[in-house]
Amino acid sequence: MKVTLALLADYANVSADGKLNIMGIFDTIWVDRFPAVHPQMQLIMRLEASPAEAGSRRKLEIKLMTADGRQVLSVAAELGFELRDALQPIGETMRADHIITLGNLRFDAPGDYQFAILVNDDEKSTVPVKARLRQQPTSPA
């Protein structure tokens, strides 16, 4: 199993015909002060598996880490891939899009963070996110 797409956005969905729609891709959060709470973001991932992995289960874990390796958040779930139906061509890669909504995520300090995406405790991808202090406009003297 591999991660072929991973990013942060303001919003995403998967349409009825299977299209992944993504709006507002970003990698930096601008705030007026710290600690800061970001109201909502979505972590979008596309996972792919070979036909040999059909029916197997994997542990998926998402960890938000600080630059010095401190864990801020951890979310875990079990996932698996099943063959869609008998019409799926033999040998076709199986794909699944996942959208994880993260609300009221707290950033205690400015810095570089990253979401680590692990499958069975093996890091498959990372998504960087920076938390920065917005510069206040200076008034003319």
Side-chain angles (χ1 to χ4, degrees):
M1 187 174 300
K2 59 185 172 181
V3 177
T4 59
L5 174 72
L7 53 86
L8 290 172
D10 292 325
Y11 178 76
N13 68 26
V14 177
S15 67
D17 58 351
K19 292 178 186 174
L20 176 60
N21 303 298
I22 303 170
M23 293 177 53
I25 297 170
F26 65 90
D27 67 358
T28 305
I29 297 167
W30 295 97
V31 301
D32 294 324
R33 66 184 165 281
F34 286 95
V37 175
H38 193 75
Q40 181 176 306
M41 67 178 75
Q42 292 186 320
L43 176 63
I44 296 100
M45 299 177 295
R46 175 168 284 165
L47 302 172
E48 292 186 356
S50 72
E53 296 176 274
S56 63
R57 308 298 292 170
R58 301 280 191 273
K59 176 186 169 192
L60 173 69
E61 187 174 13
I62 311 297
K63 295 181 180 183
L64 177 59
M65 309 294 294
T66 63
D68 62 0
R70 186 174 52 86
Q71 182 176 299
V72 176
L73 170 78
S74 178
V75 194
E78 187 176 286
L79 59 91
F81 279 91
E82 303 298 329
L83 291 174
R84 288 190 294 272
D85 55 44
L87 300 176
Q88 182 175 352
I90 294 173
E92 183 177 298
T93 298
M94 296 174 290
R95 180 183 321 163
D97 294 322
H98 294 275
I99 301 167
I100 300 171
T101 300
L102 301 163
N104 297 319
L105 197 55
R106 182 183 167 108
F107 292 87
D108 288 328
D112 297 336
Y113 296 78
Q114 73 173 2
F115 287 95
I117 302 167
L118 297 93
V119 176
N120 284 351
D121 299 320
D122 181 29
E123 187 177 278
K124 297 294 185 179
S125 186
T126 59
V127 178
V129 60
K130 298 177 274 268
R132 299 288 189 257
L133 195 58
R134 183 179 291 120
Q135 297 298 319
Q136 301 301 322
T138 56
S139 56

